[in-house]
PDB file of all heavy atoms in Angstrom:
ATOM      1  N   GLN A   1     -47.099-177.605 166.313  1.00 61.00           N
ATOM      2  CA  GLN A   1     -48.485-177.208 166.515  1.00 61.00           C
ATOM      3  C   GLN A   1     -49.013-176.302 165.396  1.00 61.00           C
ATOM      4  O   GLN A   1     -50.070-175.701 165.531  1.00 61.00           O
ATOM      5  CB  GLN A   1     -48.613-176.474 167.853  1.00 61.00           C
ATOM      6  CG  GLN A   1     -47.789-175.188 167.912  1.00 61.00           C
ATOM      7  CD  GLN A   1     -48.221-174.280 169.041  1.00 61.00           C
ATOM      8  OE1 GLN A   1     -49.375-174.268 169.448  1.00 61.00           O
ATOM      9  NE2 GLN A   1     -47.292-173.497 169.541  1.00 61.00           N
ATOM     10  N   ILE A   2     -48.281-176.238 164.281  1.00 63.00           N
ATOM     11  CA  ILE A   2     -48.636-175.287 163.233  1.00 63.00           C
ATOM     12  C   ILE A   2     -50.029-175.522 162.654  1.00 63.00           C
ATOM     13  O   ILE A   2     -50.711-174.605 162.241  1.00 63.00           O
ATOM     14  CB  ILE A   2     -47.568-175.315 162.104  1.00 63.00           C
ATOM     15  CG1 ILE A   2     -47.755-174.137 161.151  1.00 63.00           C
ATOM     16  CG2 ILE A   2     -47.604-176.625 161.359  1.00 63.00           C
ATOM     17  CD1 ILE A   2     -47.477-172.803 161.748  1.00 63.00           C
ATOM     18  N   TYR A   3     -50.479-176.791 162.618  1.00 61.00           N
ATOM     19  CA  TYR A   3     -51.808-177.095 162.087  1.00 61.00           C
ATOM     20  C   TYR A   3     -52.810-177.405 163.191  1.00 61.00           C
ATOM     21  O   TYR A   3     -53.878-177.950 162.931  1.00 61.00           O
ATOM     22  CB  TYR A   3     -51.731-178.285 161.131  1.00 61.00           C
ATOM     23  CG  TYR A   3     -50.790-178.093 159.962  1.00 61.00           C
ATOM     24  CD1 TYR A   3     -49.647-178.866 159.830  1.00 61.00           C
ATOM     25  CD2 TYR A   3     -51.047-177.126 158.988  1.00 61.00           C
ATOM     26  CE1 TYR A   3     -48.781-178.700 158.758  1.00 61.00           C
ATOM     27  CE2 TYR A   3     -50.188-176.941 157.925  1.00 61.00           C
ATOM     28  CZ  TYR A   3     -49.057-177.730 157.817  1.00 61.00           C
ATOM     29  OH  TYR A   3     -48.199-177.558 156.755  1.00 61.00           O
ATOM     30  N   SER A   4     -52.483-177.053 164.429  1.00 61.00           N
ATOM     31  CA  SER A   4     -53.309-177.460 165.565  1.00 61.00           C
ATOM     32  C   SER A   4     -54.678-176.791 165.594  1.00 61.00           C
ATOM     33  O   SER A   4     -55.584-177.259 166.277  1.00 61.00           O
ATOM     34  CB  SER A   4     -52.567-177.177 166.877  1.00 61.00           C
ATOM     35  OG  SER A   4     -52.326-175.791 167.028  1.00 61.00           O
ATOM     36  N   ASN A   5     -54.841-175.682 164.862  1.00 68.00           N
ATOM     37  CA  ASN A   5     -56.128-174.997 164.857  1.00 68.00           C
ATOM     38  C   ASN A   5     -57.002-175.413 163.681  1.00 68.00           C
ATOM     39  O   ASN A   5     -58.002-174.764 163.379  1.00 68.00           O
ATOM     40  CB  ASN A   5     -55.919-173.477 164.831  1.00 68.00           C
ATOM     41  CG  ASN A   5     -55.114-173.026 163.621  1.00 68.00           C
ATOM     42  OD1 ASN A   5     -54.344-173.814 163.061  1.00 68.00           O
ATOM     43  ND2 ASN A   5     -55.287-171.782 163.213  1.00 68.00           N
ATOM     44  N   LEU A   6     -56.646-176.505 162.998  1.00 72.00           N
ATOM     45  CA  LEU A   6     -57.423-177.008 161.863  1.00 72.00           C
ATOM     46  C   LEU A   6     -58.034-178.353 162.220  1.00 72.00           C
ATOM     47  O   LEU A   6     -57.433-179.146 162.956  1.00 72.00           O
ATOM     48  CB  LEU A   6     -56.529-177.179 160.631  1.00 72.00           C
ATOM     49  CG  LEU A   6     -55.706-175.966 160.178  1.00 72.00           C
ATOM     50  CD1 LEU A   6     -54.816-176.366 159.009  1.00 72.00           C
ATOM     51  CD2 LEU A   6     -56.613-174.810 159.793  1.00 72.00           C
ATOM     52  N   ASP A   7     -59.252-178.611 161.694  1.00 80.00           N
ATOM     53  CA  ASP A   7     -59.810-179.941 161.902  1.00 80.00           C
ATOM     54  C   ASP A   7     -59.132-180.914 160.938  1.00 80.00           C
ATOM     55  O   ASP A   7     -58.322-180.518 160.098  1.00 80.00           O
ATOM     56  CB  ASP A   7     -61.336-179.949 161.723  1.00 80.00           C
ATOM     57  CG  ASP A   7     -61.786-179.537 160.319  1.00 80.00           C
ATOM     58  OD1 ASP A   7     -61.088-179.856 159.332  1.00 80.00           O
ATOM     59  OD2 ASP A   7     -62.849-178.913 160.199  1.00 80.00           O
ATOM     60  N   GLU A   8     -59.448-182.194 161.058  1.00 85.00           N
ATOM     61  CA  GLU A   8     -58.727-183.215 160.304  1.00 85.00           C
ATOM     62  C   GLU A   8     -58.832-182.999 158.795  1.00 85.00           C
ATOM     63  O   GLU A   8     -57.834-183.125 158.070  1.00 85.00           O
ATOM     64  CB  GLU A   8     -59.261-184.601 160.668  1.00 85.00           C
ATOM     65  CG  GLU A   8     -58.494-185.740 160.002  1.00 85.00           C
ATOM     66  CD  GLU A   8     -58.962-187.100 160.471  1.00 85.00           C
ATOM     67  OE1 GLU A   8     -59.771-187.163 161.406  1.00 85.00           O
ATOM     68  OE2 GLU A   8     -58.501-188.110 159.887  1.00 85.00           O
ATOM     69  N   ARG A   9     -60.017-182.674 158.305  1.00 85.00           N
ATOM     70  CA  ARG A   9     -60.198-182.470 156.872  1.00 85.00           C
ATOM     71  C   ARG A   9     -59.439-181.243 156.390  1.00 85.00           C
ATOM     72  O   ARG A   9     -58.761-181.277 155.360  1.00 85.00           O
ATOM     73  CB  ARG A   9     -61.690-182.329 156.544  1.00 85.00           C
ATOM     74  CG  ARG A   9     -61.993-182.095 155.061  1.00 85.00           C
ATOM     75  CD  ARG A   9     -61.397-183.190 154.199  1.00 85.00           C
ATOM     76  NE  ARG A   9     -61.710-182.989 152.792  1.00 85.00           N
ATOM     77  CZ  ARG A   9     -61.053-183.552 151.800  1.00 85.00           C
ATOM     78  NH1 ARG A   9     -60.026-184.362 152.055  1.00 85.00           N
ATOM     79  NH2 ARG A   9     -61.406-183.322 150.545  1.00 85.00           N
ATOM     80  N   GLN A  10     -59.544-180.146 157.128  1.00 82.00           N
ATOM     81  CA  GLN A  10     -58.802-178.931 156.771  1.00 82.00           C
ATOM     82  C   GLN A  10     -57.304-179.204 156.754  1.00 82.00           C
ATOM     83  O   GLN A  10     -56.592-178.748 155.864  1.00 82.00           O
ATOM     84  CB  GLN A  10     -59.096-177.819 157.790  1.00 82.00           C
ATOM     85  CG  GLN A  10     -60.474-177.190 157.694  1.00 82.00           C
ATOM     86  CD  GLN A  10     -60.683-176.165 158.786  1.00 82.00           C
ATOM     87  OE1 GLN A  10     -60.316-176.377 159.950  1.00 82.00           O
ATOM     88  NE2 GLN A  10     -61.271-175.039 158.439  1.00 82.00           N
ATOM     89  N   ARG A  11     -56.851-179.943 157.739  1.00 82.00           N
ATOM     90  CA  ARG A  11     -55.420-180.230 157.849  1.00 82.00           C
ATOM     91  C   ARG A  11     -54.929-180.997 156.619  1.00 82.00           C
ATOM     92  O   ARG A  11     -53.873-180.686 156.062  1.00 82.00           O
ATOM     93  CB  ARG A  11     -55.144-181.041 159.116  1.00 82.00           C
ATOM     94  CG  ARG A  11     -53.659-181.211 159.422  1.00 82.00           C
ATOM     95  CD  ARG A  11     -53.445-181.977 160.719  1.00 82.00           C
ATOM     96  NE  ARG A  11     -54.035-181.271 161.842  1.00 82.00           N
ATOM     97  CZ  ARG A  11     -55.077-181.721 162.535  1.00 82.00           C
ATOM     98  NH1 ARG A  11     -55.649-182.868 162.212  1.00 82.00           N
ATOM     99  NH2 ARG A  11     -55.559-181.033 163.548  1.00 82.00           N
ATOM    100  N   GLU A  12     -55.694-181.977 156.173  1.00 88.00           N
ATOM    101  CA  GLU A  12     -55.302-182.759 155.000  1.00 88.00           C
ATOM    102  C   GLU A  12     -55.201-181.879 153.764  1.00 88.00           C
ATOM    103  O   GLU A  12     -54.246-181.988 152.981  1.00 88.00           O
ATOM    104  CB  GLU A  12     -56.318-183.878 154.758  1.00 88.00           C
ATOM    105  CG  GLU A  12     -56.302-184.980 155.806  1.00 88.00           C
ATOM    106  CD  GLU A  12     -57.368-186.024 155.544  1.00 88.00           C
ATOM    107  OE1 GLU A  12     -58.163-185.834 154.585  1.00 88.00           O
ATOM    108  OE2 GLU A  12     -57.421-187.031 156.286  1.00 88.00           O
ATOM    109  N   ILE A  13     -56.174-180.987 153.588  1.00 88.00           N
ATOM    110  CA  ILE A  13     -56.195-180.121 152.407  1.00 88.00           C
ATOM    111  C   ILE A  13     -55.039-179.125 152.445  1.00 88.00           C
ATOM    112  O   ILE A  13     -54.325-178.936 151.457  1.00 88.00           O
ATOM    113  CB  ILE A  13     -57.539-179.367 152.316  1.00 88.00           C
ATOM    114  CG1 ILE A  13     -58.689-180.364 152.088  1.00 88.00           C
ATOM    115  CG2 ILE A  13     -57.503-178.331 151.194  1.00 88.00           C
ATOM    116  CD1 ILE A  13     -60.066-179.733 152.160  1.00 88.00           C
ATOM    117  N   VAL A  14     -54.839-178.478 153.602  1.00 87.00           N
ATOM    118  CA  VAL A  14     -53.785-177.474 153.724  1.00 87.00           C
ATOM    119  C   VAL A  14     -52.406-178.106 153.558  1.00 87.00           C
ATOM    120  O   VAL A  14     -51.527-177.548 152.881  1.00 87.00           O
ATOM    121  CB  VAL A  14     -53.890-176.742 155.074  1.00 87.00           C
ATOM    122  CG1 VAL A  14     -52.646-175.896 155.326  1.00 87.00           C
ATOM    123  CG2 VAL A  14     -55.136-175.858 155.103  1.00 87.00           C
ATOM    124  N   ILE A  15     -52.198-179.270 154.137  1.00 89.00           N
ATOM    125  CA  ILE A  15     -50.904-179.936 154.008  1.00 89.00           C
ATOM    126  C   ILE A  15     -50.598-180.255 152.550  1.00 89.00           C
ATOM    127  O   ILE A  15     -49.466-180.078 152.084  1.00 89.00           O
ATOM    128  CB  ILE A  15     -50.874-181.217 154.866  1.00 89.00           C
ATOM    129  CG1 ILE A  15     -50.797-180.837 156.351  1.00 89.00           C
ATOM    130  CG2 ILE A  15     -49.692-182.102 154.491  1.00 89.00           C
ATOM    131  CD1 ILE A  15     -50.876-182.013 157.290  1.00 89.00           C
ATOM    132  N   GLU A  16     -51.607-180.679 151.805  1.00 93.00           N
ATOM    133  CA  GLU A  16     -51.388-180.974 150.386  1.00 93.00           C
ATOM    134  C   GLU A  16     -51.053-179.696 149.617  1.00 93.00           C
ATOM    135  O   GLU A  16     -50.168-179.695 148.747  1.00 93.00           O
ATOM    136  CB  GLU A  16     -52.625-181.632 149.789  1.00 93.00           C
ATOM    137  CG  GLU A  16     -52.573-181.836 148.275  1.00 93.00           C
ATOM    138  CD  GLU A  16     -51.385-182.650 147.790  1.00 93.00           C
ATOM    139  OE1 GLU A  16     -50.808-183.433 148.589  1.00 93.00           O
ATOM    140  OE2 GLU A  16     -51.007-182.494 146.612  1.00 93.00           O
ATOM    141  N   GLN A  17     -51.740-178.599 149.918  1.00 93.00           N
ATOM    142  CA  GLN A  17     -51.433-177.338 149.252  1.00 93.00           C
ATOM    143  C   GLN A  17     -50.029-176.855 149.616  1.00 93.00           C
ATOM    144  O   GLN A  17     -49.297-176.353 148.763  1.00 93.00           O
ATOM    145  CB  GLN A  17     -52.477-176.268 149.629  1.00 93.00           C
ATOM    146  CG  GLN A  17     -53.893-176.598 149.207  1.00 93.00           C
ATOM    147  CD  GLN A  17     -53.998-176.875 147.727  1.00 93.00           C
ATOM    148  OE1 GLN A  17     -53.528-176.098 146.900  1.00 93.00           O
ATOM    149  NE2 GLN A  17     -54.631-177.986 147.370  1.00 93.00           N
ATOM    150  N   ASP A  18     -49.654-177.022 150.868  1.00 94.00           N
ATOM    151  CA  ASP A  18     -48.301-176.639 151.284  1.00 94.00           C
ATOM    152  C   ASP A  18     -47.254-177.451 150.532  1.00 94.00           C
ATOM    153  O   ASP A  18     -46.208-176.927 150.130  1.00 94.00           O
ATOM    154  CB  ASP A  18     -48.126-176.835 152.790  1.00 94.00           C
ATOM    155  CG  ASP A  18     -48.812-175.757 153.616  1.00 94.00           C
ATOM    156  OD1 ASP A  18     -49.351-174.811 153.011  1.00 94.00           O
ATOM    157  OD2 ASP A  18     -48.797-175.863 154.856  1.00 94.00           O
ATOM    158  N   ARG A  19     -47.523-178.723 150.354  1.00 96.00           N
ATOM    159  CA  ARG A  19     -46.592-179.581 149.612  1.00 96.00           C
ATOM    160  C   ARG A  19     -46.406-179.048 148.195  1.00 96.00           C
ATOM    161  O   ARG A  19     -45.283-179.017 147.671  1.00 96.00           O
ATOM    162  CB  ARG A  19     -47.114-181.016 149.567  1.00 96.00           C
ATOM    163  CG  ARG A  19     -46.150-182.006 148.895  1.00 96.00           C
ATOM    164  CD  ARG A  19     -46.828-183.322 148.600  1.00 96.00           C
ATOM    165  NE  ARG A  19     -47.858-183.176 147.588  1.00 96.00           N
ATOM    166  CZ  ARG A  19     -47.623-183.054 146.278  1.00 96.00           C
ATOM    167  NH1 ARG A  19     -46.366-183.058 145.820  1.00 96.00           N
ATOM    168  NH2 ARG A  19     -48.619-182.925 145.426  1.00 96.00           N
ATOM    169  N   ARG A  20     -47.475-178.596 147.578  1.00 97.00           N
ATOM    170  CA  ARG A  20     -47.389-178.072 146.212  1.00 97.00           C
ATOM    171  C   ARG A  20     -46.601-176.763 146.172  1.00 97.00           C
ATOM    172  O   ARG A  20     -45.869-176.501 145.212  1.00 97.00           O
ATOM    173  CB  ARG A  20     -48.792-177.869 145.648  1.00 97.00           C
ATOM    174  CG  ARG A  20     -49.574-179.174 145.463  1.00 97.00           C
ATOM    175  CD  ARG A  20     -50.942-178.913 144.873  1.00 97.00           C
ATOM    176  NE  ARG A  20     -51.711-180.148 144.749  1.00 97.00           N
ATOM    177  CZ  ARG A  20     -52.943-180.225 144.236  1.00 97.00           C
ATOM    178  NH1 ARG A  20     -53.538-179.119 143.804  1.00 97.00           N
ATOM    179  NH2 ARG A  20     -53.566-181.380 144.167  1.00 97.00           N
ATOM    180  N   VAL A  21     -46.771-175.925 147.190  1.00 97.00           N
ATOM    181  CA  VAL A  21     -46.000-174.677 147.249  1.00 97.00           C
ATOM    182  C   VAL A  21     -44.517-174.987 147.378  1.00 97.00           C
ATOM    183  O   VAL A  21     -43.673-174.387 146.692  1.00 97.00           O
ATOM    184  CB  VAL A  21     -46.472-173.797 148.428  1.00 97.00           C
ATOM    185  CG1 VAL A  21     -45.561-172.578 148.575  1.00 97.00           C
ATOM    186  CG2 VAL A  21     -47.919-173.349 148.229  1.00 97.00           C
ATOM    187  N   VAL A  22     -44.181-175.922 148.254  1.00 97.00           N
ATOM    188  CA  VAL A  22     -42.781-176.316 148.430  1.00 97.00           C
ATOM    189  C   VAL A  22     -42.203-176.827 147.115  1.00 97.00           C
ATOM    190  O   VAL A  22     -41.062-176.517 146.754  1.00 97.00           O
ATOM    191  CB  VAL A  22     -42.662-177.382 149.538  1.00 97.00           C
ATOM    192  CG1 VAL A  22     -41.260-177.991 149.566  1.00 97.00           C
ATOM    193  CG2 VAL A  22     -42.993-176.770 150.896  1.00 97.00           C
ATOM    194  N   GLN A  23     -43.005-177.588 146.377  1.00 98.00           N
ATOM    195  CA  GLN A  23     -42.530-178.120 145.101  1.00 98.00           C
ATOM    196  C   GLN A  23     -42.340-177.006 144.084  1.00 98.00           C
ATOM    197  O   GLN A  23     -41.392-177.038 143.279  1.00 98.00           O
ATOM    198  CB  GLN A  23     -43.522-179.160 144.553  1.00 98.00           C
ATOM    199  CG  GLN A  23     -43.020-179.901 143.324  1.00 98.00           C
ATOM    200  CD  GLN A  23     -41.732-180.647 143.578  1.00 98.00           C
ATOM    201  OE1 GLN A  23     -41.629-181.398 144.548  1.00 98.00           O
ATOM    202  NE2 GLN A  23     -40.726-180.435 142.724  1.00 98.00           N
ATOM    203  N   ALA A  24     -43.221-176.003 144.097  1.00 98.00           N
ATOM    204  CA  ALA A  24     -43.082-174.875 143.173  1.00 98.00           C
ATOM    205  C   ALA A  24     -41.782-174.120 143.434  1.00 98.00           C
ATOM    206  O   ALA A  24     -41.100-173.685 142.494  1.00 98.00           O
ATOM    207  CB  ALA A  24     -44.280-173.927 143.317  1.00 98.00           C
ATOM    208  N   VAL A  25     -41.419-173.967 144.700  1.00 98.00           N
ATOM    209  CA  VAL A  25     -40.148-173.321 145.045  1.00 98.00           C
ATOM    210  C   VAL A  25     -38.986-174.157 144.521  1.00 98.00           C
ATOM    211  O   VAL A  25     -38.033-173.632 143.931  1.00 98.00           O
ATOM    212  CB  VAL A  25     -40.039-173.130 146.570  1.00 98.00           C
ATOM    213  CG1 VAL A  25     -38.640-172.637 146.947  1.00 98.00           C
ATOM    214  CG2 VAL A  25     -41.085-172.143 147.067  1.00 98.00           C
ATOM    215  N   ALA A  26     -39.076-175.468 144.719  1.00 98.00           N
ATOM    216  CA  ALA A  26     -38.006-176.363 144.269  1.00 98.00           C
ATOM    217  C   ALA A  26     -37.852-176.315 142.747  1.00 98.00           C
ATOM    218  O   ALA A  26     -36.728-176.278 142.224  1.00 98.00           O
ATOM    219  CB  ALA A  26     -38.296-177.791 144.725  1.00 98.00           C
ATOM    220  N   ASP A  27     -38.981-176.303 142.039  1.00 98.00           N
ATOM    221  CA  ASP A  27     -38.934-176.285 140.573  1.00 98.00           C
ATOM    222  C   ASP A  27     -38.296-175.001 140.058  1.00 98.00           C
ATOM    223  O   ASP A  27     -37.462-175.032 139.130  1.00 98.00           O
ATOM    224  CB  ASP A  27     -40.353-176.426 140.003  1.00 98.00           C
ATOM    225  CG  ASP A  27     -40.950-177.809 140.254  1.00 98.00           C
ATOM    226  OD1 ASP A  27     -40.191-178.737 140.565  1.00 98.00           O
ATOM    227  OD2 ASP A  27     -42.196-177.942 140.156  1.00 98.00           O
ATOM    228  N   LEU A  28     -38.673-173.861 140.635  1.00 98.00           N
ATOM    229  CA  LEU A  28     -38.122-172.584 140.177  1.00 98.00           C
ATOM    230  C   LEU A  28     -36.640-172.486 140.527  1.00 98.00           C
ATOM    231  O   LEU A  28     -35.840-171.997 139.714  1.00 98.00           O
ATOM    232  CB  LEU A  28     -38.893-171.422 140.797  1.00 98.00           C
ATOM    233  CG  LEU A  28     -38.425-170.017 140.393  1.00 98.00           C
ATOM    234  CD1 LEU A  28     -38.410-169.848 138.885  1.00 98.00           C
ATOM    235  CD2 LEU A  28     -39.310-168.948 141.041  1.00 98.00           C
ATOM    236  N   ALA A  29     -36.268-172.958 141.708  1.00 98.00           N
ATOM    237  CA  ALA A  29     -34.865-172.932 142.098  1.00 98.00           C
ATOM    238  C   ALA A  29     -34.014-173.763 141.138  1.00 98.00           C
ATOM    239  O   ALA A  29     -32.912-173.352 140.748  1.00 98.00           O
ATOM    240  CB  ALA A  29     -34.710-173.460 143.523  1.00 98.00           C
ATOM    241  N   GLU A  30     -34.538-174.909 140.727  1.00 98.00           N
ATOM    242  CA  GLU A  30     -33.799-175.760 139.790  1.00 98.00           C
ATOM    243  C   GLU A  30     -33.651-175.072 138.441  1.00 98.00           C
ATOM    244  O   GLU A  30     -32.576-175.108 137.830  1.00 98.00           O
ATOM    245  CB  GLU A  30     -34.513-177.097 139.637  1.00 98.00           C
ATOM    246  CG  GLU A  30     -33.762-178.085 138.743  1.00 98.00           C
ATOM    247  CD  GLU A  30     -34.442-179.439 138.670  1.00 98.00           C
ATOM    248  OE1 GLU A  30     -35.526-179.606 139.246  1.00 98.00           O
ATOM    249  OE2 GLU A  30     -33.871-180.339 138.013  1.00 98.00           O
TER     250      GLU A  30
END
């Protein structure tokens, strides 16, 4: 339910930004 308080458009944008943050962590760890 982590994104349950976001509308569909907000959810799409936030999920994409989260994906980029996760990738930044992966890149620095490597």
Side-chain angles (χ1 to χ4, degrees):
Q1 62 163 331
I2 192 67
Y3 302 114
S4 62
N5 58 336
L6 306 176
D7 61 35
E8 184 175 352
R9 179 56 179 161
Q10 287 177 318
R11 189 178 299 113
E12 291 178 356
I13 295 173
V14 169
I15 288 175
E16 173 57 23
Q17 298 304 310
D18 284 356
R19 184 193 67 77
R20 295 181 182 181
V21 174
V22 170
Q23 188 59 50
V25 172
D27 291 343
L28 180 55
E30 184 176 4

